[in-house]
Amino acid sequence: MSALSVTKRFGILTAGGDCPGLNAAIRGVCRAAHDRYDMEIIGIAKGFKGLIDEDTKVLRPDDFSGILTRGGTILGSSREKPFGPTDKDEPASEKVSAIVDTYSKLKLDCLVVIGGNGTNTTGSKLSREGLNIIGLPKTIDNDIVGTDRTFGFHSALAIGTEAIDRLHSTAQSHSRVIVIELMGNKAGWLALYAGIAGGGDVILLPEIPYDIRVIGQHLEKRTKSGKTFSIVVVAEGAMSVDEAEMDKKDRKKYRNETGPSAAYRIAREINEETGMETRATVLGYMQRGGIPSSSDRVLATCLGTAAVELLAAGKYGRMVALTGNDITSVDLSVPEGKVKNVPTNHYMIDTAKAVGTCVGA
Ligand code: F6P
């Protein structure tokens, strides 16, 4: 006999950029909901778009069997933002009304949203529209306020670190500076962790605007000490002190003129500053593809099953989270409209400096 549950029927979707571990989370939610509580599960295709377009289907055990190790998401994803592209509280749009209608047509008791900052923010706003929502934090960026870690991050970190390891031998063979760009537009967690794990000689984050002269001096000092090559790890959103002074519009214009990729921009600046032979590599979507690491599988499964306990107890309006070594939950308003940046006084920045890494300032 299954245990008693307040939630009898719920919808589940994955939204925003995909990441390894999404299927492990879907499996965790669906298995526990089905096996423990006999809940009915409605899979929603392509994030919030599936609710707008009424693209849904009942999920049965066969649908969520054998997916633990698979990358991507069996539900599909999209960047659909029903409240509009900004984080501002805008008046409910037609899209929001369509979502509310589909939710009630499907007779859902709750909607489980698996996503990053944007998804959990939309979830929080939908709570205010009267929907019962439970959020799960995923993203390779690890930048969601309210959780100590997101699933997807560990897998992407392993890929980023392996790439840095591989660049060492070719940089050494050719006595070059190689700049590698990792994802992270607003927060530099991935570049910071992978940079330390891979022994990057320079690590540049969006949170610490860099001075190219400081980088140049560091690289020249390495050359003088007999090092024939250097690896520069940059986050996608890394910016110079000059760029940091620009407003968003001017910065976009500047980047369109000078090349949209941080790695190529910074490689050129290093070459102009030092005359060193410099190359750029952008790891791109490779970081988000493929099988989840064991650590992400565990975290996604634990968060998924914890979400089901909230469903069973009728504790809606919350995002499950990792706090220290515990699985907890926070009010959905906690991550709403925020980004968890790397604090400039974070111990890992000091660690990087202590092992001789330049952080650009
Ligand atoms: O949020 C995850 C992320 O991979 C970011 O690191 C990156 O800036 C962004 O998604 C890329 O988005 P898209 O998939 O829309 O190109």
Side-chain angles (χ1 to χ4, degrees):
M1 228 195 45
S2 37
L4 283 180
S5 168
V6 173
T7 302
K8 308 287 180 213
R9 184 177 161 88
F10 70 94
I12 181 167
L13 61 80
T14 52
D18 74 338
C19 73
L22 280 170
N23 285 326
I26 294 169
R27 172 181 172 270
V29 171
C30 293
R31 276 252 166 116
H34 177 271
D35 298 358
R36 271 196 177 165
Y37 296 104
D38 199 25
M39 297 180 202
E40 286 179 273
I41 310 163
I42 311 297
I44 293 149
K46 297 181 184 155
F48 295 103
K49 198 170 180 305
L51 279 174
I52 296 165
D53 302 340
E54 295 187 37
D55 190 357
T56 66
K57 78 169 219 179
V58 174
L59 294 184
R60 303 200 191 282
D62 273 357
D63 295 312
F64 43 85
S65 173
I67 63 169
L68 174 65
T69 61
R70 270 168 66 182
T73 160
I74 58 161
L75 295 172
S77 191
S78 71
R79 292 251 181 222
E80 176 63 61
K81 286 189 169 175
F83 288 91
T86 69
D87 284 339
K88 288 186 201 120
D89 240 341
E90 288 162 15
S93 66
E94 276 174 28
K95 287 178 176 178
V96 175
S97 313
I99 289 174
V100 175
D101 282 355
T102 307
Y103 178 95
S104 89
K105 254 193 232 170
L106 290 170
K107 295 189 172 31
L108 301 180
D109 298 320
C110 184
L111 175 67
V112 173
V113 302
I114 310 179
N117 287 317
T119 304
N120 283 289
T121 292
T122 301
S124 185
K125 289 179 179 179
L126 287 174
S127 289
R128 288 202 288 281
E129 298 290 324
L131 270 53
N132 293 327
I133 307 284
I134 289 174
L136 269 80
K138 71 84 211 173
T139 165
I140 65 165
D141 295 343
N142 199 33
D143 63 351
I144 303 182
V145 171
T147 185
D148 287 349
R149 189 153 55 84
T150 59
F151 63 84
F153 176 67
H154 186 267
S155 309
L157 170 60
I159 297 163
T161 304
E162 186 186 340
I164 296 169
D165 290 348
R166 287 178 181 275
L167 288 176
H168 270 81
S169 57
T170 175
Q172 186 176 33
S173 305
H174 291 268
S175 303
R176 283 172 175 158
V177 175
I178 297 191
V179 182
I180 175 168
E181 177 179 321
L182 301 182
M183 278 189 172
N185 199 15
K186 293 182 182 155
W189 293 107
L190 197 50
L192 180 60
Y193 270 80
I196 290 180
D201 304 301
V202 178
I203 300 176
L204 304 179
L205 315 178
E207 291 88 346
I208 305 177
Y210 66 84
D211 181 338
I212 196 66
R213 288 166 304 182
V214 173
I215 298 170
Q217 281 159 16
H218 184 76
L219 296 176
E220 277 157 5
K221 204 169 131 204
R222 271 179 61 79
T223 307
K224 279 193 196 120
S225 73
K227 310 276 191 212
T228 56
F229 73 96
S230 292
I231 304 290
V232 179
V233 182
V234 307
E236 176 189 359
M239 64 178 90
S240 65
V241 279
D242 291 343
E243 285 174 276
E245 276 166 17
M246 298 174 192
D247 63 26
K248 229 175 160 182
K249 210 171 126 213
D250 285 346
R251 189 155 59 233
K252 200 169 170 198
K253 189 166 165 265
Y254 171 78
R255 286 181 174 178
N256 282 340
E257 284 162 7
T258 53
S261 151
Y264 283 90
R265 222 170 35 242
I266 293 165
R268 198 184 48 245
E269 289 171 12
I270 290 173
N271 175 260
E272 284 165 7
E273 180 68 21
T274 64
M276 291 174 183
E277 190 180 355
T278 308
R279 293 287 189 272
T281 296
V282 180
L283 205 50
Y285 295 93
M286 209 97 78
Q287 290 158 100
R288 290 200 337 215
I291 61 168
S293 67
S294 48
S295 170
D296 277 338
R297 293 179 204 182
V298 172
L299 180 60
T301 303
C302 292
L303 291 172
T305 56
V308 172
E309 293 308 315
L310 295 179
L311 285 169
K315 286 189 186 161
Y316 305 129
R318 303 195 66 77
M319 179 185 79
V320 287
L322 180 74
T323 309
N325 287 323
D326 288 330
I327 299 292
T328 57
S329 69
V330 295
D331 195 274
L332 259 178
S333 61
V334 171
E336 184 176 344
K338 300 184 196 103
V339 173
K340 189 173 77 183
N341 286 112
V342 178
T344 50
N345 62 354
H346 193 275
Y347 71 90
M348 282 181 66
I349 293 180
D350 192 50
T351 300
K353 288 181 185 168
V355 292
T357 301
C358 167
V359 296

